[in-house]
């Protein structure tokens, strides 16, 4: 009886296994899978100020911006900052173009004046830095112009700086991450006592164009 029971079990297993090819034969022995691929692109969302103010202060007079008093600076910018709320980190390129205001007799110098000279001119440059905060006071600004890091403001001549700064992607909580802010400013110097005195008609207009390029998360 035990042998008959064992034989029944073995025969049952053989029948089960031999039934599989028969089922496959009914539907054919070729299979295919269609895979549809979509391109995952990041959303670019950056806040950028539409305007700003810069003061030419050749005589280094005390200047107050809101509650902040600024001394010993000849080119003074109001606080300005961009913030990255994008899904990806960004490379930032800038193009800076300068113009002298209508009615002004000043000029824009191509290199630092160090306060010396007889022509009424100012040297102005653009600086931007990545930061964990939008407060410009939290940034350690450069003490002097650096051609490799800054964009000089030249009248009628666009100056472009590629990859001038990189910004971190936003957090999973949809907040600006550390390194996602970029305060920027105009700085420089001016001739203190030119032959033709400075007047209230003197001034400049600076246009800064930003270009943002998404980067892989590993960068």
């Amino acid at each position: 009886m035990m042998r008959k029971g064992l034989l029944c079990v073995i025969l049952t297993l053989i029948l089960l296994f031999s039934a599989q090819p028969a089922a496959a034969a009914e539907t054919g022995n070729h299979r295919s899978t269609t895979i549809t691929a979509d391109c995952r692109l990041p959303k670019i969302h950056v806040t950028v100020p539409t305007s700003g103010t810069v003061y030419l202060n050749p005589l280094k007079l005390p200047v107050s911006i809101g509650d902040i008093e600024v001394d010993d600076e000849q080119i003074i910018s109001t606080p300005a900052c961009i913030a990255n709320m994008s899904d990806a980190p960004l490379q930032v390129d800038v193009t800076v173009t300068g113009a002298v205001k209508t009615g002004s007799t000043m000029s824009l110098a191509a290199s630092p004046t160090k306060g010396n000279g007889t022509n009424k001119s100012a040297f102005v440059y653009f600086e931007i830095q990545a930061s964990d905060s939008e407060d410009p006071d939290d940034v350690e600004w450069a003490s002097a112009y650096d051609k490799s890091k800054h964009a000089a403001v030249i009248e009628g001549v666009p100056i472009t700086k590629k990859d001038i700064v990189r910004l971190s992607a936003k957090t999973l909580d949809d907040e600006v991450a550390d390194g996602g802010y970029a305060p920027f400013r105009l700085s420089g110097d001016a001739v203190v006592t030119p032959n033709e005195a400075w007047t209230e008609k003197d001034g400049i207009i600076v246009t800064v164009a930003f270009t943002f390029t998404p980067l892989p998360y590993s960068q």
Side-chain angles (χ1 to χ4, degrees), residues 89-137:
L90 299 179
Q91 172 184 311
V92 183
D93 305 334
V94 298
T95 298
V96 181
T97 308
V100 174
K101 283 187 175 181
T102 302
S104 172
T105 56
M106 66 168 288
S107 62
L108 284 166
S111 59
T113 68
K114 299 181 180 179
N116 303 317
T118 57
N119 296 325
K120 184 167 54 174
S121 63
F123 174 71
V124 182
Y125 66 87
F126 173 85
E127 178 179 10
I128 186 170
Q129 294 196 33
S131 175
D132 298 342
S133 166
E134 61 183 337
D135 189 347
D137 291 336

Side-chain angles (χ1 to χ4, degrees), residues 1-210:
M1 293 296 292
M2 184 178 297
R3 289 182 178 179
K4 289 182 178 179
L6 181 60
L7 180 59
C8 290
V9 172
I10 294 174
L11 289 174
T12 302
L13 291 175
I14 292 174
L15 289 173
L16 288 173
F17 280 105
S18 63
Q20 300 305 313
E26 291 177 0
T27 57
N29 62 349
H30 294 286
R31 302 291 188 274
S32 64
T33 300
T34 300
I35 299 175
T36 301
D38 295 324
C39 185
R40 172 72 162 83
L41 296 176
K43 293 181 180 179
I44 305 302
H45 180 192
V46 188
T47 60
V48 180
T50 57
S51 62
T53 303
V54 61
Y55 298 96
L56 301 182
N57 187 30
L59 300 180
K60 300 182 180 180
L61 300 174
V63 175
S64 294
I65 301 176
D67 297 329
I68 303 173
E69 185 172 291
V70 184
D71 292 321
D72 301 326
E73 293 185 26
Q74 292 183 305
I75 310 297
I76 304 170
S77 288
T78 55
C81 181
I82 61 178
N84 184 23
M85 288 293 294
S86 306
D87 297 329
L90 299 179
Q91 172 184 311
V92 183
D93 305 334
V94 298
T95 298
V96 181
T97 308
V100 174
K101 283 187 175 181
T102 302
S104 172
T105 56
M106 66 168 288
S107 62
L108 284 166
S111 59
T113 68
K114 299 181 180 179
N116 303 317
T118 57
N119 296 325
K120 184 167 54 174
S121 63
F123 174 71
V124 182
Y125 66 87
F126 173 85
E127 178 179 10
I128 186 170
Q129 294 196 33
S131 175
D132 298 342
S133 166
E134 61 183 337
D135 189 347
D137 291 336
D138 293 337
V139 175
E140 186 175 348
W141 298 107
S143 59
Y145 169 68
D146 185 335
K147 185 178 181 180
S148 65
K149 299 178 180 179
H150 306 142
V153 179
I154 308 298
E155 185 174 6
V157 180
I159 302 297
T160 298
K161 287 292 182 181
K162 296 285 189 180
D163 203 3
I164 194 170
V165 73
R166 294 188 175 191
L167 304 180
S168 302
K170 69 177 181 179
T171 67
L172 296 177
D173 296 325
D174 288 335
E175 296 178 349
V176 180
D178 291 344
Y181 291 103
F184 60 89
R185 68 168 187 167
L186 294 176
S187 188
D189 59 25
V191 174
V192 177
T193 55
N195 290 340
E196 183 180 357
W198 292 94
T199 72
E200 293 183 353
K201 292 183 179 181
D202 294 318
I204 60 174
I205 299 173
V206 181
T207 302
V208 182
F210 296 91

